[in-house]
């Protein structure tokens, strides 16, 4: 699922940004800096502590860092540097580890964890920032000396000096797989992605696989902040005016910002807007725009609602159209986030498993924004690419099929189901949709028609007797969005 942080409704408490993935626990907040480290650069100490929390506790960098910046009261400049270093080093970990291992003449698994955190931070500064090499090395050595003494600081000094002897391009040329023999592996190394993920992207691009390098480069870059203007509250044009942003190209509710903390914006604090990738906005719009057979009775369902971004947008659209939304989320914590983000909207939240919700059938529109590997949102979740494994896919595909089957049981004849994932992996996308078409006799719609104006996105979906229609696959390098997949399907049997 895509990373979303809905704004609160007026008078509602603000939900935490980007909740943990389904089935995980919330990471603890990182600790305060060691008093012995007084006098060290606070931005680099904060970035190191984020890397440590990710390594030691499987924490989420995008949750740990904002809380740490507030707790330590870093100024705007230090906060910006800490953010760049923490997120950048998390994204580039595979590339950095290969360089560190070569420079240290030992696998990174044999390097003490606290030293490895500092080495990653220093190597990132040397290879991917304009920070002067002597400053990157000296500040890293100082951190280790303050915590572990001169012996280990000497090791860090020696390794980082070897790293500094080459540019990133030189290290890629020396260590990456041959571009002639393994072009996918070479692109994966250059753009700091596990090879299996690069291969999944390559396969999903299909005939456009020549765009893989551009895709991985876009996925490795810092993303812009996307806001969603709440329908009925503010227009995208008005939101752009009050925030200094630009209206997004695809969603009628989207505004793009270059950066900054959106939580400080009045429009977000007042519930006029939320933080949501433009691709996720298009998923909600597709559900509302997909053509039904028969009239729309205004009974809509979000079967996988947490953390609540799409439910909030659907609720706002439902309020305008006189519809209602049921939102299903099995996790109590995430269900509370949905309740906060949809307060004062015609949304009822049910803390149940979507596969056996107990809800009465007959919905006109059902959204299945299924739990997935999240490969399409890696640019917004800096450490996720190194956390996911190929073995994760099979269990998720089984869950996705079960949720889509539940949606088919709940939608009325002639009603629409929109299946979406924040992953382009073929097993999670066209594989699941094709299976549903065959098993349940669904009719595929031309999904691109539900998101008009989005170029080069709709493609045929494999299915029985040509009934699978077309799906939409969004890409960071083409559309500036997360790599969202969506397919609109209709249950046959409705009145014309």
């Amino acid at each position: 699922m895509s990373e979303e942080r809905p704004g609160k409704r007026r008078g509602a408490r603000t939900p935490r940004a980007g909740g943990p993935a389904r089935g995980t626990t919330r990471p603890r907040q990182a600790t305060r800096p060691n008093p012995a480290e007084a006098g060290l650069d606070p931005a680099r100490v904060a970035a190191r502590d984020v890397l440590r929390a990710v390594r030691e506790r499987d924490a989420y960098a995008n949750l740990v860092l904002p809380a740490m910046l507030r707790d330590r009261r870093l100024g705007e400049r230090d906060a910006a540097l800490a953010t760049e270093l923490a997120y950048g080093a998390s994204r580039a970990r595979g590339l950095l580890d290969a360089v560190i291992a070569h420079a240290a003449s030992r696998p990174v698994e044999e390097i003490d964890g606290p030293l490895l955190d500092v080495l990653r931070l220093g190597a990132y500064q040397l290879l991917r920032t304009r920070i002067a090499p002597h400053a990157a090395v000296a500040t890293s050595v100082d951190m280790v000396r303050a915590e572990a003494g001169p012996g280990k600081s000497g090791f860090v000094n020696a390794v980082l000096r070897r790293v500094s002897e080459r540019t990133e391009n030189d290290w890629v040329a020396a260590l990456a797989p041959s571009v002639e023999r393994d072009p996918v592996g070479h692109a994966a190394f250059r753009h700091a992605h596990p090879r299996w993920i690069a291969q999944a992207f390559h396969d999903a691009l299909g005939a456009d696989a020549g765009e893989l390098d551009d895709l991985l480069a876009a996925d490795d870059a810092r993303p812009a902040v996307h806001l969603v203007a709440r329908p009925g509250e503010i227009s995208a044009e008005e939101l752009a005016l009050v925030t200094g942003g630009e209206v997004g190209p695809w969603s009628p509710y989207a505004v793009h910002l270059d950066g900054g903390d959106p939580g400080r914006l009045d429009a977000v604090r007042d519930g006029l807007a939320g933080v949501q990738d433009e691709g996720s906005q298009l998923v909600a719009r597709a559900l509302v725009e997909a053509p039904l057979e028969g009239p729309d009775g205004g009974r809509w369902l979000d079967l996988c609602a947490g953390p609540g971004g799409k439910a909030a947008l659907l609720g706002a659209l439902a309020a305008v159209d006189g519809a209602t939304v049921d939102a299903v989320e099995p996790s109590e914590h995430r269900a509370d986030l949905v309740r906060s983000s949809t307060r004062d909207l015609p949304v009822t939240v049910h803390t149940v498993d979507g596969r056996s919700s107990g809800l009465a059938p007959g919905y006109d529109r059902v959204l299945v924004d299924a739990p997935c590997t999240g490969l399409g949102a890696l640019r917004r979740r800096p450490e996720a690419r190194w956390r996911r494994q190929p073995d994760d896919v099979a269990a998720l595909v089984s869950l996705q099929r079960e949720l889509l089957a539940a949606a088919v049981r709940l939608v009325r004849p002639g009603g629409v189901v929109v299946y979406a994932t924040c992953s382009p992996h073929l097993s999670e996308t066209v594989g699941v949709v094709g299976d549903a078409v065959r098993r349940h006799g669904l009719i595929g719609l031309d999904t691109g028609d539900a998101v008009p104006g989005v170029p080069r996105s709709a493609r045929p979906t494999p299915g029985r007797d040509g009934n699978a229609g077309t799906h939409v696959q969004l890409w960071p390098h083409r559309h500036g969005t997360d790599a969202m997949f969506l397919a609109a399907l209709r249950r046959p049997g409705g009145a014309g």
Side-chain angles (χ1 to χ4, degrees), residues 33 60 76 151 174 289 346 494:
Y60 295 83
E76 184 175 346
E289 296 293 330

Side-chain angles (χ1 to χ4, degrees), residues 235-241 245-256 278:
S235 69
E237 291 76 13
E238 292 168 334
L239 181 60
L241 183 64
E246 295 185 359
V247 174
W250 319 125
S251 164
Y253 325 111
V255 170
H256 294 186
E278 190 169 6

